[in-house]
Amino acid sequence: MCRAHLLEPAAAELLATELRQIVGDGNVLSDPALTASFGHDLTGRFNGRPALVVSPGDTAEVAAVVQACAAAQAPLVPQGGHSGMVGGGTPRDGEVVLSLRRLTAIEPVDRVAAQVTVGAGVTLEAFQRFLRPLDLEFLVDHGGRSAATLGGMAATNAGGSQAMRHGMMRDQVAGVEAVLADGSVLSRLRGLAKDNTGYDLTGLLVGSEGTLGVITRLRLRVAPLRPKRVTILAGVESLDGALAVLELLQSRVPSVQAVDFFEQAGLRRVREHLQLPAPFEREYPTYLVIECAGRTDPADELDGLLAVVADAVAADDPEGRRGLWRYREALNETVTSLGIPHKLDVSVPVASLPRFAREVRDVIAAVDSEAELIFYGHLGDGNAHVNVVGPAPDDLRIDEAVLELVASLDGSISAEHGVGLAKTQWLSLTRSAPEIRAMREIKAALDPRGVLNPGRLMP
Ligand code: S2G
Ligand code: ZN
């Protein structure tokens, strides 16, 4: 079994010539000045100089590209919007980036099945714009919507703020078309509600982070647009208090679809970064962004809410709602403006979140008392985004200490961003030896030469 290895310049030129015959001259980049931007991720933490960047135009071209790279034993890094947070789509020096950005076809909506087939390169934002005039919506949403592609979101099983109500990407994917490491095409786009004929290969490929196949098209579930939305920014005295609000919402407000949280330290940094006004007269330790959506106005379900929060401001118009979400969604760019962050996207049982919030501070301070913590996430999922700025990118002591704390609380070292390059060494904190063995055997069976995204997801 020959292993893929980083490409020497001569081999890269040979391969580039072959790839140009497949996708056309303009869709293969080898000039470092042109390929450089494909090697830097959004957080600045992962950087690589790809040997080549190839942009196929459809599944057949992707299949031919994969075959050519496999024959040349050239490691392939599938890349969508490159908005991932764990280096899953960032090439290492000498790897070949296979960009899915050109696969942007959206087929007519199958309204009776409430499904639509889309290309992997369609961004989430473009898909939302396509659906809105059709009185439809897609039930996964997150702050990276302008860059993130639907194929990349499927490959990483993206979550976002509405996962507490509607699930993650896997729950919205009715089928995929993907190119396997031998260039064969696996296509399951019929979107049958019932098709009980063997292993769930769609479910296996979703969340496989480009290591088992290159997703080129998706059959996605869509939902009737719920036009009545209310967004509330609330101040609460503690995360324990926030859980009391969550419990009330879960039990009394069926239209609630997002309950995100962030802290005063994060609010202060966002206000500095974006010159935003303070949302309230006074500061609160913890803030919630609550979103309700329905066919009828959710406001009347919320009358009990004001009794359990210290302060609240609400908006039901798009502009006003965007303004409230901005305090939360700007945290990622704000953190990156402070320095290269250690982004630890983790989950713990929801009831353990307050304890985790307390102990994670001690764990970080014990390693580096100067490190700055910006702590936020999705309360409804027990999903915390532990962002630490200060330690050098390759100083992983805090990363290790935080992930070990998560494991001690029966949590997961990655809630929604995936494992990528960033967390392979800690996979055993969340996955058992039999599970890792089974995943290795699946990888060896489907990609024996290690061409697809080697080194990602598994050590
Ligand atoms: C968040 C990053 C989302 C994104 O803020 O919830 O999961 O891609 C993170 O900006
Ligand atoms: Zn998130």
Side-chain angles (χ1 to χ4, degrees), residues 108-137:
V109 175
D110 177 341
R111 298 205 75 125
V112 73
Q115 294 173 354
V116 58
T117 298
V118 301
V122 176
T123 64
L124 174 57
E125 196 167 62
F127 192 43
Q128 291 170 338
R129 277 200 307 272
F130 166 81
L131 292 174
R132 199 164 296 122
L134 302 174
D135 223 13
L136 295 170
E137 65 176 287

Side-chain angles (χ1 to χ4, degrees), residues 142 159-161 260 328 332 345 376-378 383 385 416-417:
H142 61 75
S161 300
D260 276 14
R328 161 66 180 87
N332 286 292
D345 150 53
Y376 55 95
H378 313 280
N383 178 183
H385 292 309
E416 54 183 12
H417 296 169

Side-chain angles (χ1 to χ4, degrees), residues 276-349:
L276 292 180
F280 300 111
E281 289 293 308
R282 59 153 281 209
E283 295 182 342
Y284 293 95
T286 304
Y287 296 89
L288 296 179
V289 182
I290 299 163
E291 175 130 316
C292 299
R295 305 287 288 179
T296 57
D297 185 350
D300 52 11
E301 295 173 356
L302 293 164
D303 50 8
L305 181 69
L306 289 179
V308 290
V309 295
D311 205 337
V313 56
D316 60 4
D317 63 300
E319 194 53 39
R321 290 179 37 240
R322 254 193 305 277
L324 295 178
W325 268 110
R326 190 90 177 101
Y327 288 109
R328 161 66 180 87
E329 292 195 339
L331 282 161
N332 286 292
E333 65 185 80
T334 299
V335 163
T336 302
S337 74
L338 301 173
I340 296 180
H342 291 248
K343 294 183 78 74
L344 298 165
D345 150 53
V346 299
S347 56
V348 295

Side-chain angles (χ1 to χ4, degrees), residues 63-89:
V65 165
V66 170
Q67 269 173 328
C69 291
Q73 297 169 13
L76 263 181
V77 180
Q79 191 181 89
H82 205 190
S83 64
M85 305 273 174
V86 289

